């Protein structure tokens, strides 16, 4: 029996219990016969395994991010050393059996004082988003906000 089928059976059993058509012992015996505890345990075990895998992946992602950061810093140091050597030796190009090294010129704009830039060269960016914390506080204090409401949710907690 699937957990979904067990849910329907549990609802029916609860309805019988609520209507006083079944006693507590028969209710407990029927739930045990359905295998409720085993199903719940199985679901909880699988949930825990997924949580452990997610934690392990997050840890691995962080480890890889740190490794990438180190590699990028090493690349920057090595490029700087190579640039220093080529500048000191007066070379603008170097060719080896495996690689060719040269400089490439690029032009970019560096803003020295943003307040002095004429308006025609400025881009206005506006972001609008509801302030959910303020809305919640206002509604909780008895106010109403059109287009918003406080919704209570329940989450399964496995200990």
């Amino acid at each position: 029996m699937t957990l979904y089928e067990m849910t329907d059976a549990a609802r029916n059993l609860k309805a019988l219990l609520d209507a006083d058509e079944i006693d507590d012992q028969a209710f407990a015996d029927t739930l045990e016969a359905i295998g409720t505890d085993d199903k719940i345990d199985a679901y909880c075990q699988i949930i825990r395994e997924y949580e452990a895998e997610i934690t392990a992946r997050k840890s691995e992602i962080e480890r890889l991010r740190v490794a990438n950061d180190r590699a990028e810093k090493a690349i920057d140091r090595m490029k700087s050393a190579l640039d220093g050597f080529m500048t000191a030796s007066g070379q603008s190009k170097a060719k080896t059996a495996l690689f060719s090294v040269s400089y490439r010129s690029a032009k970019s704009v560096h803003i020295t004082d943003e307040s002095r830039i004429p308006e025609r060269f400025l881009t206005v960016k506006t972001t609008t988003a509801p302030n959910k914390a303020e809305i919640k506080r206002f509604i909780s204090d008895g106010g109403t906000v059109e287009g918003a409401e406080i919704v209570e949710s329940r989450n399964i907690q496995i200990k």
Side-chain angles (χ1 to χ4, degrees):
M1 183 178 290
T2 70
L3 193 57
Y4 297 109
E5 293 167 338
M6 291 171 68
T7 301
D8 287 339
R11 280 192 189 115
N12 293 335
L13 265 170
K14 184 180 180 302
L16 289 174
L17 187 64
D18 289 345
D20 209 19
E21 295 178 16
I22 188 171
D23 62 46
D24 290 344
Q25 186 58 48
F27 177 79
D29 291 344
T30 306
L31 275 179
E32 188 176 324
I34 292 173
T36 305
D37 288 350
D38 293 338
K39 254 330 173 189
I40 290 172
D41 284 344
Y43 266 66
C44 290
Q45 286 174 340
I46 293 169
I47 289 168
R48 284 284 163 85
E49 287 175 19
Y50 278 134
E51 289 172 341
E53 289 174 9
I54 289 168
T55 300
R57 283 188 202 107
K58 285 180 179 178
S59 178
E60 184 66 7
I61 288 168
E62 179 60 19
R63 186 189 70 77
L64 291 171
R65 188 194 60 73
V66 167
N68 273 351
D69 289 349
R70 268 194 235 118
E72 287 172 352
K73 288 177 183 175
I75 289 169
D76 290 343
R77 284 191 309 271
M78 294 175 80
K79 282 184 175 181
S80 179
L82 186 57
D83 175 46
F85 168 74
M86 290 183 67
T87 300
S89 64
Q91 297 182 65
S92 62
K93 293 181 181 179
K95 185 163 177 67
T96 69
L98 298 176
F99 299 98
S100 294
V101 179
S102 62
Y103 290 95
R104 176 179 43 140
S105 292
K107 293 182 180 182
S108 64
V109 175
H110 174 74
I111 305 298
T112 56
D113 185 355
E114 191 172 312
S115 66
R116 299 182 68 199
I117 303 292
E119 193 170 326
R120 71 184 189 120
F121 295 113
L122 297 178
T123 301
V124 176
K125 295 180 183 179
T126 304
T127 303
T128 305
N131 183 336
K132 290 183 179 182
E134 189 61 33
I135 292 170
K136 182 179 179 185
R137 192 174 0 229
F138 184 77
I139 293 174
S140 294
D141 290 342
T144 58
V145 176
E146 191 173 325
E149 62 184 4
I150 292 179
V151 178
E152 187 173 335
S153 61
R154 295 180 348 155
N155 296 307
I156 293 285
Q157 181 177 4
I158 300 170
K159 292 184 178 185

